[in-house]
Amino acid sequence: GNFSDDSVFTIAIDPENPSILYVGTDTYMYKSTDFGETWSKIGFSAPSVTNVRDIVIDPETTSTIYAGSITGGVFKSENGGEYWNEINEGLTTHRISSLAINPHLPTTIYTRTFDGGVFKTTDGGGHWSAVNQGLTGLETTILAIDPKMPSKIYVGTLYQGVFKSTDSGENWTELNDGLPFFYITSLELDPHTPTLIYAGTVGG
């Protein structure tokens, strides 16, 4: 497979076998088992997984993968991407842009939507619930989870800076002392010292 003419939005690496990579593009998903030397198209059988914006891998069972699409919601594969199922029960929108998985309890996943805020599942996508207390009226842009203390979650917003939850998404508070109200495009936490956070912005 070749996606040289496609727009790549996300890359995920199998944490147990780094020769396995997944890529999400504007059209299809692709998988490599040889460190990216060759690629094969995945997710094209029904239901078709297209317009993928984020991919996360279960760190305990790496054949289980979640993909967020801006047209189809969240999809789940339990066999390394060969077959997929829609897992959208409870979502009020299918326009997904970000996913974050709890590394210690990987059945807990968060998704950021374009027009419905943040949702959470605690059963591997069986059901989603909105977790937007403190985010009402804000357009969110990116999600990040603390790898050492996954009850801490951060969300970037459109021109309102960064918000933080310390209770697994139940409540959110503004975190903008020293950070102007930029459009936040990326958030990265230092894996060794996750209190050290980097925010990428537009124009800042």
Side-chain angles (χ1 to χ4, degrees), residues 66 76 87 89 105-109 120-128:
Y66 300 86
K76 180 179 183 178
I87 50 165
E89 185 184 329
L105 194 66
T107 51
T108 295
I109 304 148
K120 173 184 177 181
T121 179
T122 58
D123 58 6
H127 182 80
W128 298 88

Side-chain angles (χ1 to χ4, degrees), residues 20-115:
I20 298 176
L21 297 89
Y22 300 89
V23 160
T25 77
D26 245 348
T27 52
Y28 295 107
M29 294 181 66
Y30 295 86
K31 178 180 181 179
S32 174
T33 57
D34 55 12
F35 294 98
E37 291 295 320
T38 59
W39 297 89
S40 56
K41 188 192 297 182
I42 60 172
F44 56 88
S45 58
S48 180
V49 189
T50 62
N51 295 295
V52 172
R53 291 298 183 269
D54 204 3
I55 300 167
V56 294
I57 300 171
D58 184 323
E60 294 179 359
T61 309
T62 59
S63 57
T64 297
I65 309 146
Y66 300 86
S69 161
I70 61 167
T71 52
V74 185
F75 295 84
K76 180 179 183 178
S77 173
E78 295 182 275
N79 54 11
E82 188 173 352
Y83 297 108
W84 296 83
N85 291 306
E86 295 180 24
I87 50 165
N88 291 326
E89 185 184 329
L91 292 176
T92 58
T93 174
H94 290 175
R95 302 183 68 221
I96 307 298
S97 72
S98 312
L99 296 167
I101 191 166
N102 182 328
H104 302 165
L105 194 66
T107 51
T108 295
I109 304 148
Y110 302 85
T111 182
R112 187 201 81 76
T113 69
F114 274 104
D115 45 12

Side-chain angles (χ1 to χ4, degrees), residues 141-142 156-157 183-187 199-202:
T141 56
I142 194 76
T157 68
Y183 176 171
I184 307 297
T185 55
S186 58
L187 287 171
T201 70
V202 169

Side-chain angles (χ1 to χ4, degrees), residues 6-20:
D6 217 341
S7 297
V8 174
F9 289 94
T10 185
I11 301 171
I13 302 172
D14 186 315
E16 288 185 352
N17 183 352
S19 67
I20 298 176

